[in-house]
Amino acid sequence: ADGGQLQCSSITIDPTSQLATLQGEPQVHFCDPTYELFADRAEISYDSLNGKSEPTKITLLGGVQMIKIPSSQYALADSAEYFPREEKLYLSGEPRVLFLDQKREIQMAAPSIQAFDNGQKIESKGNVRFVFKPNELEKMQQLFKDHSCFR
């Protein structure tokens, strides 16, 4: 996907394995036209084509936060895998991923959630709840308090 930006405090690149490892202070921040993602650490797998490196997979680890402003989608997870070419996002959490779609008025808590088709199609796996527990809602409100759905 064109136009992606990444901010971090340190980066280590291994050209042999085509893997970049990023650390954040306080967090790594990734932004492209589809998603805005935050995490403690990130790993980027990439291909080199015609002298240009292009990310194939972005793995986010620790304290993952996802914001998709145009469609008002928000999520909290332990880890995420984002495939920029396909615009597919896989979120997983222990015990659960918390996902809110404000426009469609969907609350979801599940062990894993996948977003396809630019966030238009959402799938979950495992034991799914469609209403947040009070402590889950409070956690979402605290972390996303500066965004429109929680003002």
Side-chain angles (χ1 to χ4, degrees):
D2 291 332
Q5 295 181 354
L6 208 129
Q7 295 176 342
C8 65
S9 58
S10 68
I11 184 169
T12 305
I13 299 173
D14 181 351
T16 306
S17 63
Q18 294 186 312
L19 181 71
T21 304
L22 301 90
Q23 297 289 332
E25 288 294 329
Q27 286 193 304
V28 174
H29 177 209
F30 171 77
C31 183
D32 80 353
T34 306
Y35 293 103
E36 187 171 3
L37 300 161
F38 299 85
D40 297 337
R41 184 168 69 92
E43 295 176 351
I44 301 173
S45 301
Y46 60 92
D47 285 338
S48 293
L49 302 169
N50 302 323
K52 182 179 176 185
S53 296
E54 183 177 320
T56 55
K57 179 171 102 172
I58 299 170
T59 303
L60 302 169
L61 303 163
V64 176
Q65 299 173 42
M66 181 218 58
I67 303 166
K68 189 161 183 257
I69 300 300
S71 59
S72 300
Q73 293 175 343
Y74 304 85
L76 297 177
D78 291 323
S79 65
E81 291 183 326
Y82 180 57
F83 297 86
R85 291 178 185 162
E86 298 88 6
E87 293 185 342
K88 291 182 180 179
L89 177 67
Y90 299 88
L91 300 163
S92 59
E94 185 57 47
R96 296 182 177 277
V97 175
L98 302 179
F99 176 84
L100 172 69
D101 185 320
Q102 183 186 17
K103 278 188 180 174
R104 293 187 270 185
E105 298 181 354
I106 296 171
Q107 292 181 5
M108 192 181 305
S112 68
I113 293 176
Q114 299 84 39
F116 305 95
D117 299 332
N118 199 19
Q120 296 304 307
K121 181 178 177 186
I122 306 296
E123 294 179 357
S124 59
K125 294 189 179 184
N127 184 3
V128 181
R129 276 189 287 104
F130 292 98
V131 176
F132 292 147
K133 292 180 178 179
N135 65 321
E136 294 169 338
L137 181 59
E138 184 178 312
K139 188 174 185 179
M140 294 287 282
Q141 289 171 331
Q142 184 62 32
L143 286 170
F144 298 112
K145 64 185 174 205
D146 294 331
H147 297 278
S148 62
C149 73
F150 294 111
R151 285 190 195 153

